[in-house]
Amino acid sequence: MTGLSGQTPASYKPVGLSRIQEKNRSLILEAALGEFSKKGFSGATVERIAADAGMSKSNLLYYFSSKEAIYNATLAHILEIWLTPLKTLNPLGDPADELAAYIRQKIELSAKFPEASRLFANEVMQGAPQILPVLETDLKRLVEEKCQVIEDWIDTGRMRPVDPVHLIFTIWATTQHYADFSVQIKALTGKDLSDPDFQRSTETAVTSLILNGAGLKWPRESDPGA
Amino acid sequence: MTGLSGQTPASYKPVGLSRIQEKNRSLILEAALGEFSKKGFSGATVERIAADAGMSKSNLLYYFSSKEAIYNATLAHILEIWLTPLKTLNPLGDPADELAAYIRQKIELSAKFPEASRLFANEVMQGAPQILPVLETDLKRLVEEKCQVIEDWIDTGRMRPVDPVHLIFTIWATTQHYADFSVQIKALTGKDLSDPDFQRSTETAVTSLILNGAGLKWPRESDPGA
DNA sequence: TTGCATCTTGACCATTTGGTCAAATCACAC
DNA sequence: GTGTGATTTGACCAAATGGTCAAGATGCAA
């Protein structure tokens, strides 16, 4: 397993994908996300993914040249959406607002796409065989940039001195935990993020813990107007 | 895959295990932990585990009747050590000290047994096929008990009102994150918990964030003596 | 040393599974 | 309608893998 790139049938005429290709690739990726997140790379079978996608194994292999190719395409497909929230952390905004918004977005993603979270976790836990290069370049750059933002907030006295990288790891850990360990959470509380009330209470608790932990007032004092 | 129990060769005379059995079972469990945590249940192979343990596949299957039996034994083997720290949370102690000690112990475990953490995470992420019953009974009881402890601390005004279950989840999430995602952490920071300095900074950052988040003074004001 | 139970292994088997291929079917431009 | 390329599939293959078994090696008590 090496590399991480898209995949197209060997021969093609139009610049883009045909209507059928578009639909089938999408069906496959959706089915693959389900299988890979549920069973891991080794545990998932091409046949099962094909069945979930409503086609024969042979046909699936017409669209993706190998199991590894499906896996990589699935990873690439979720990676962007997964890392987007951090990019929106705005240096010019209020630290409390910005961090609260980031936490909220991450919990939102965990609630909406728990399978994506588990797939990502699985990949990293196995040593990130496919996405290590991305982590070491793109993600590293992004994290360094945002650490600098937090550092500036600290230096201007807008929040308590906290190691920015640990703050980011803590936010990742807590928010993703609710998706990755949802089975355990359901076993212990009877609920998980699919319950809107539980999502709300999670958001409240996590945001409150982390923001207060970072020396920020939360919840913000009620808005100015009387 | 069902049940979760020990395993012994079909026939045996002495009450305990023979010296050879003791040694080989131990070698197998150690090798199994390495393989299962690295590749997951499906990705690990009996042959590879046997090789790591320095014996033939046939011999391994003399000690454990099936791959699933090895897996269950490995899980059972790590489960107790993994859940022990929470049990030590003392209702009579000082909240800040108790929580700080708990966090320290959890980080210690993540540093010492990252493979155990990843195996546990893997199991839960796949839906906890083997240990769900344990989570729903033993762990649930334990968590309820400790939530009550925290509740009492809150009711007696010794800490800010925080949903106890979310507090526990946050501690689990953060501390285990450093073991489960160590590859990512290493990619981003160049270090992981195997570095004593990094372990120290992690402990400081996480403890400070969570305790202050819970409205506890941390670090404690320097001890009484001049 | 001897006898027996424990321990160890190589040969073997059945199943699963990723992947190939040639043939059949379909979509659609002309 | 017809022809051509895109799409789809069943038959098939080779490798990997969990597990069985009978035979041999080893440890040990008498």
Side-chain angles (χ1 to χ4, degrees), chain A residues 18 21 24 56 58-59 62-63:
Chain A
S18 79
Q21 281 178 18
N24 281 342
S56 68
S58 305
N59 201 24
Y62 168 73
Y63 288 99

Side-chain angles (χ1 to χ4, degrees), chain A residues 30-156:
Chain A
E30 195 174 343
L33 174 57
E35 287 301 310
F36 283 132
S37 71
K38 206 170 308 179
K39 315 282 196 72
F41 178 80
S42 307
T45 75
V46 176
E47 177 123 36
R48 183 65 191 269
I49 295 173
D52 287 2
M55 68 186 69
S56 68
K57 184 177 64 164
S58 305
N59 201 24
L60 184 152
L61 287 165
Y62 168 73
Y63 288 99
F64 292 90
S65 61
S66 71
K67 185 185 184 183
E68 192 187 327
I70 314 171
Y71 182 71
N72 283 334
T74 310
L75 263 183
H77 192 243
I78 66 166
L79 202 53
E80 203 198 325
I81 197 177
W82 204 245
L83 299 181
T84 296
L86 185 55
K87 295 181 186 158
T88 72
L89 203 71
N90 180 3
L92 304 179
D94 174 76
D97 288 339
E98 291 300 320
L99 290 176
Y102 179 47
I103 291 169
R104 187 176 44 69
Q105 286 179 74
K106 286 288 289 176
I107 290 180
E108 194 90 31
L109 283 187
S110 284
K112 267 193 195 161
F113 309 110
E115 291 170 321
S117 182
R118 283 191 283 268
L119 177 62
F120 182 76
N122 214 298
E123 162 71 8
V124 174
M125 286 204 317
Q126 317 279 312
Q130 304 300 317
I131 58 164
L132 190 55
V134 179
L135 301 183
E136 285 171 333
T137 55
D138 299 32
L139 182 58
K140 183 158 197 251
R141 194 158 33 240
L142 177 60
V143 166
E144 279 167 355
E145 177 195 327
K146 296 311 182 181
C147 278
Q148 191 53 59
V149 170
I150 296 172
E151 202 76 70
D152 289 345
W153 287 340
I154 293 172
D155 290 346
T156 55

Side-chain angles (χ1 to χ4, degrees), chain B residues 18 21 24 56 58-59 62-63:
Chain B
S18 79
Q21 281 178 22
N24 281 342
S56 68
S58 306
N59 202 24
Y62 169 74
Y63 288 99

Side-chain angles (χ1 to χ4, degrees), chain B residues 50-69:
Chain B
D52 288 3
M55 68 187 68
S56 68
K57 183 176 63 163
S58 306
N59 202 24
L60 184 152
L61 287 166
Y62 169 74
Y63 288 99
F64 292 90
S65 61
S66 70
K67 184 184 184 182
E68 193 187 328

Side-chain angles (χ1 to χ4, degrees), chain B residues 17-142:
Chain B
L17 301 173
S18 79
R19 191 176 43 83
I20 293 179
Q21 281 178 22
E22 194 86 44
K23 192 191 69 178
N24 281 342
R25 284 180 55 92
S26 162
L27 284 174
I28 291 168
L29 288 180
E30 196 174 342
L33 175 57
E35 287 301 309
F36 283 132
S37 71
K38 206 169 308 177
K39 315 281 196 71
F41 178 80
S42 308
T45 76
V46 176
E47 177 124 35
R48 182 65 191 269
I49 295 173
D52 288 3
M55 68 187 68
S56 68
K57 183 176 63 163
S58 306
N59 202 24
L60 184 152
L61 287 166
Y62 169 74
Y63 288 99
F64 292 90
S65 61
S66 70
K67 184 184 184 182
E68 193 187 328
I70 314 169
Y71 182 70
N72 283 334
T74 311
L75 264 183
H77 192 242
I78 67 165
L79 202 52
E80 202 198 328
I81 197 176
W82 204 244
L83 298 181
T84 296
L86 184 53
K87 295 181 186 159
T88 73
L89 203 71
N90 180 4
L92 304 178
D94 174 77
D97 288 340
E98 292 299 320
L99 289 176
Y102 180 47
I103 291 169
R104 187 177 42 71
Q105 286 179 74
K106 286 288 289 177
I107 289 179
E108 195 90 29
L109 284 188
S110 284
K112 267 193 196 162
F113 310 111
E115 291 168 322
S117 182
R118 282 191 283 268
L119 177 61
F120 182 76
N122 215 297
E123 162 72 8
V124 174
M125 286 205 317
Q126 317 278 313
Q130 305 298 319
I131 59 164
L132 190 54
V134 180
L135 301 184
E136 286 171 334
T137 57
D138 299 31
L139 182 56
K140 184 158 195 245
R141 193 160 33 240
L142 177 60

